[in-house]
Amino acid sequence: MANILRIQVVVFALVAASFTNIYLPQPVLPILQSEFQISPVQASFSVSFVIMGIVLSNLFFGYLSDRYPVKPIILTGGVFVAAGGLICSSTGSYTVLVACRLLQGLFIPALTTSIAAWLSRSLPAERLSSVMGAYVSATIFGGMGGRMLGGWIHPPLHWRYAFVTASAFILVTVAMAMVVLPASGREEIAAARSSNGRETYSSLLRKKELLLIYACGAGSLLIFSPVFNYLPYRLSGAPFNLTTETITLVYLVYVLGIFLGPLAGKLSSRLGGGVMLIFSSILLGLSLTLLLLPSMTAVILGLLGVCAGFFSLHTVAVVLLNRKLTCSHGKANALYVLFYYTGGWLGLTGAGFAYEHAGWEGVIVFLAIFLVIPLSVGVFERRVESKARD
C-alpha cells in the first residue's frame, strides 16, 4: 500500500508540473501584448501553441506508451519541456518564445499521456475511477499553479522567472519519477505490445461510444479554456479595473476542481456517467450567463460554476473512456487528449476573434453554442446505461 501511495504522489506531482507549464503566461497576456507590441490574438499564441504541440505529438506518444517502458519516455519529455521553458525565460523575441512554447507542447504528452496509459493498464478496475479522478485533479492543480506562478507568486512584470521556476519543477518531478516508478518488466512490455496490436487508431475512432466521449472532451475544453484565457481582458477593463495580481487571485476558484475530480469519478459510478454529463452541462451553461453581469460577485459565482461544470465533465469523460477499454489504453487515451486539446485550441482561437469583433459578450455567446456537444453525449450515455440496467 505504501509503495502504491508513493507512486500516486509522484504521478500527481509530475502531471501537475506538466500542466503548470501549459497555462503559465495566461494571467500576463496583457503584459506580453504590451512588451512585445502584439495583438490579443498573437498574445494568446503563448498558450495556444503549447496546445497545438500537444495535438501534433500526442498520438505518437500514445503509440510509444503502448509499446515501450514509461520511464525513458518521461525522462526525454522532461528534458525538452524544461529546456523550452528556460529559453522562453531569456529570449527577447516573441517568435522564439512561441516556437519554444510549441516545443514544450510537443513533449508534454511524454509526461501526461504516457502516465495515463500506464495507470490504466496497471491499476485494478475497482481503483481506476478514483485514481483517474486524482489524475484529473493533478491537471487542475497544475493549471491553477501555472496561472498563480505567472501572475502572482512572481510579480507580473517578472514573468520570465515563472518559466525558470516551472522548468525546475519539471526536472525535480521527473527525477522523482525515475527513482519511484517501477521499471517495466519484460512481461509488462510484452503484454503492452500484444495489447497494442489489438486496436488501431482507426478502429478506435470507428467505435461510436468512444468517439462521442472524445467529442465530449473536445467540447468541454473548447468552452472552458477561453473563459480563463480572456478573463484578464474582461477584469482589467471597466467596470472592474482590477490589477493583474488581483485578477490572478481569481484563479483560486481552481481549488474547487482539485476536490471535484475524485468526487465526480465516484458520483459517476453511483449515479451514472450520463446523468453527470447532463447535470454538468446545464451547470456550465447557467454559469456562463453569470459571467455577463457587471458584478464581481456574479463573476466569482459564475467562475465557480464554470469550474464545477467543466471539471465534472472532464473527469466523467476520462472515467467512462477507461471503463470501456479492454486494451490499447495508450492509444485510446492519446486520442482523447488529441480531441481534448484540439477543442481547446479551436476554442482559444475562435474566442480570440469573437473577442476582437464583439468583446466579452461575443466570447460567451461563441462558447455557449458548443454546450450542445457534452449535453448530447450525456443524453446518449444515459440511454446506454438505462438499456444496460434493463
Side-chain angles (χ1 to χ4, degrees):
M1 178 64 71
N3 188 48
I4 293 176
L5 181 60
R6 287 172 59 206
I7 291 173
Q8 290 182 359
V9 169
V10 168
V11 168
F12 185 96
L14 184 62
V15 173
S18 304
F19 275 78
T20 293
N21 283 270
I22 295 176
Y23 299 108
L24 196 61
Q26 205 167 63
V28 295
L29 292 182
I31 292 174
L32 294 181
Q33 181 184 347
S34 175
E35 182 172 334
F36 291 101
Q37 295 297 297
I38 52 179
S39 70
V41 171
Q42 289 174 313
S44 73
F45 289 167
S46 62
V47 177
S48 63
F49 267 64
V50 179
I51 294 174
M52 182 189 295
I54 294 171
V55 169
L56 291 174
S57 68
N58 196 61
L59 295 185
F60 173 70
F61 282 109
Y63 172 82
L64 290 183
S65 63
D66 268 342
R67 295 184 63 87
Y68 299 102
V70 72
K71 290 172 72 171
I73 299 174
I74 291 172
L75 179 61
T76 302
V79 168
F80 277 96
V81 171
L86 292 175
I87 296 173
C88 286
S89 72
S90 59
T91 184
S93 166
Y94 190 68
T95 301
V96 172
L97 187 148
V98 170
C100 287
R101 294 291 284 161
L102 176 63
L103 175 69
Q104 288 187 299
L106 289 171
F107 283 92
I108 281 175
L111 307 173
T112 55
T113 299
S114 60
I115 282 291
W118 182 76
L119 289 172
S120 297
R121 67 170 177 257
S122 302
L123 294 175
E126 61 272 13
R127 299 196 61 187
L128 187 58
S129 292
S130 59
V131 173
M132 291 307 292
Y135 173 94
V136 172
S137 293
T139 70
I140 296 163
F141 183 83
M144 182 188 71
R147 292 171 171 97
M148 298 298 292
L149 194 62
W152 188 64
I153 296 175
H154 291 289
L157 291 175
H158 298 161
W159 57 267
R160 295 177 184 273
Y161 292 110
F163 276 102
V164 176
T165 304
S167 295
F169 190 18
I170 280 286
L171 293 175
V172 169
T173 54
V174 166
M176 290 169 58
M178 294 302 101
V179 173
V180 174
L181 294 185
S184 300
R186 292 182 180 179
E187 296 82 3
E188 180 185 345
I189 297 172
R193 289 182 175 177
S194 175
S195 169
N196 178 67
R198 298 177 196 170
E199 296 280 9
T200 64
Y201 284 124
S202 177
S203 65
L204 289 168
L205 287 172
R206 288 196 296 269
K207 296 184 175 182
K208 181 180 178 181
E209 68 275 16
L210 298 186
L211 188 59
L212 287 174
I213 292 175
Y214 296 149
C216 182
S220 301
L221 191 61
L222 188 156
I223 296 166
F224 176 76
S225 191
V227 171
F228 285 89
N229 206 65
Y230 296 99
L231 185 67
Y233 294 102
R234 166 67 167 168
L235 297 183
S236 62
F240 304 103
N241 301 312
L242 301 181
T243 65
T244 300
E245 290 89 345
T246 305
I247 293 170
T248 305
L249 286 175
V250 175
Y251 288 105
L252 286 173
V253 297
Y254 254 66
V255 173
L256 181 67
I258 297 172
F259 304 101
L260 274 176
L263 178 61
K266 293 177 181 178
L267 286 176
S268 69
S269 298
R270 183 177 303 176
L271 303 177
V275 170
M276 287 296 295
L277 291 179
I278 292 171
F279 173 78
S280 302
S281 299
I282 294 172
L283 175 61
L284 185 53
L286 293 174
S287 302
L288 287 175
T289 62
L290 288 176
L291 298 180
L292 292 170
L293 301 178
S295 160
M296 201 61 214
T297 301
V299 168
I300 296 297
L301 290 174
L303 290 175
L304 286 170
V306 166
C307 286
F310 166 72
F311 295 143
S312 296
L313 284 173
H314 179 34
T315 301
V316 173
V318 171
V319 170
L320 286 173
L321 171 65
N322 285 282
R323 278 185 195 160
K324 296 174 186 290
L325 297 174
T326 57
C327 65
S328 300
H329 296 86
K331 288 180 179 177
N333 280 278
L335 280 172
Y336 179 86
V337 175
L338 172 65
F339 275 76
Y340 181 74
Y341 282 111
T342 298
W345 183 80
L346 290 173
L348 288 172
T349 305
F353 289 109
Y355 182 82
E356 288 192 342
H357 286 87
W360 181 252
E361 292 77 9
V363 171
I364 298 301
V365 171
F366 172 79
L367 302 180
I369 293 170
F370 293 93
L371 281 168
V372 67
I373 298 175
L375 187 59
S376 299
V377 177
V379 171
F380 173 82
E381 281 294 329
R382 188 169 183 274
R383 288 175 180 171
V384 170
E385 290 165 352
S386 296
K387 290 181 179 178
R389 286 194 297 268
D390 294 340

